[in-house]
Amino acid sequence: LAGIYEEGGDAEGARGVFTRVCDDGEYEFRGPDDLAVVWTAWAEMELRLEDWEAALGVARRAIATPRDHEHFGQQRAGGNKFRGGKAQSSLYRSLRLWNLYLDLEESLGGIQNTKAAYTRCIELGVATPQIILNSAAFLKDQKFFEESFSAYEKGLGLFPFPQPHAAPIWTAYLEAFEERYGGSKMERSRELYERCLEGCPAKNTADYYLKYARLEEKYGLAKRALAVYERAALAVPQDQKLKAYQLYVAKARLSFGLTKTRPIYEAAIAALNDADAAKMCIQFSEMEVVLGEIERARKVLEYGSQMADPRRDTAYWKHWHEFEVAQGNEESFREMLRIKRSVQASFSTVNYNAAEMSGEAKPLSDAEALAMLSEREGVSAGPAVGAAPAFVTGTKRRAEDSIEKLEIRAARLRQAARGG
């Protein structure tokens, strides 16, 4: 109806419609959102008519706390109208109207009015994370830096960790504080980072640890920065630990040299899962080669071999192979091959037991079944089925009997594996 009046050029008629519905409460809405839509339409009409003061006045009245809001919804004496009912009584907490009002106040009102509007919005608990960020940015633009930081603090009171909305507020807060003070207030900066990390979920800590460490590198001490990197490597989730330790190693090498990275490599290998620990062993051995510690490098590779399945982690064994070709001799190369066979046999046993327990065993070939049964019976089988001399104990006849039994058992094992 108001739109019809506006299209007809009768602005006063449109205002009269809005006044009857919004101010006089002649219609009871189901909820505050429906009534907020009407108030918003009124303010937008005033903006289209370029009556800025009227638009700001409408927005201010819309979010004003009614003096008699406790009595809204009760029937007035002498009539049966409700002045908007419950919808009117809750209107002052409408997020739609607050967003409109804050935009208008920031554009058309004065600095003090805008500050007061943001303060009241936060105190009412209506503010969203974006409103918190807008408030702090407005205060910062007006050079009210400490008040801007207070806005961040109030926002963190409304949205603390572990709520996901706390992350953008903390990020903006820390960046704004560093931009303002740099390294002149390091103790206060450290306090902010410690507060942030205290409640921050582990999956989000990596970014804050990096910011903290870079702050120490830029304005503090290298030793403090390395301590932060160490904490980061310990605190981040398992899937981020490899990168965290690699960064820690790189920073330690730049600040204190290669020899200071040894304890970091050792801690990383102990903390990482097998696949990542094997990668760290490769890097550790490369560092020892650079220092000329060939035997140390070989021992590192030997230790890491227990975590690298030759059938899957081919990169690890290729690296060790190339290392022995370049730095070793025939004896060390043979030792590497012996360890590789031993590790492969160990992983084969573990994988078979795991598959057997899970009921997901795959059909076995004749050679695999014979080898498995031979290991269980304590008898070693040769490459050919009829090669009786390959058995180290018993007569030829007994060896042939053992082979026949092994074949029968192998056939049963394959059949059971296919059936499982």
Side-chain angles (χ1 to χ4, degrees), residues 216-256:
E216 291 289 355
E217 288 178 328
K218 190 173 181 180
Y219 302 109
L221 301 174
K223 187 176 181 181
R224 281 183 174 271
L226 285 182
V228 175
Y229 283 119
E230 181 180 10
R231 290 173 56 189
L234 295 173
V236 297
Q238 190 66 40
D239 59 343
Q240 301 178 18
K241 282 187 179 292
L242 177 61
K243 292 183 178 179
Y245 272 110
Q246 288 174 337
L247 180 60
Y248 183 20
V249 167
K251 295 296 182 178
R253 182 175 66 247
L254 289 174
S255 300
F256 299 103

Side-chain angles (χ1 to χ4, degrees), residues 39 51-63 101 104:
W39 277 100
D51 193 342
W52 318 122
E53 290 299 325
L56 185 56
V58 169
R60 286 173 177 171
R61 293 202 308 277
I63 53 87
Y101 171 53
L104 292 176

Side-chain angles (χ1 to χ4, degrees), residues 241-250 261-262 264-287 300-301 304 307 313 316 319:
K241 282 187 179 292
L242 177 61
K243 292 183 178 179
Y245 272 110
Q246 288 174 337
L247 180 60
Y248 183 20
V249 167
T261 62
R262 281 173 177 157
I264 303 175
Y265 278 115
E266 294 170 359
I269 294 169
L272 294 171
N273 56 43
D274 286 353
D276 292 340
K279 296 177 182 178
M280 190 60 71
C281 285
I282 292 177
Q283 297 175 18
F284 193 3
S285 68
E286 290 174 343
M287 185 273 291
V300 170
L301 292 172
M307 298 171 281
D313 195 352
Y316 186 92
H319 173 80

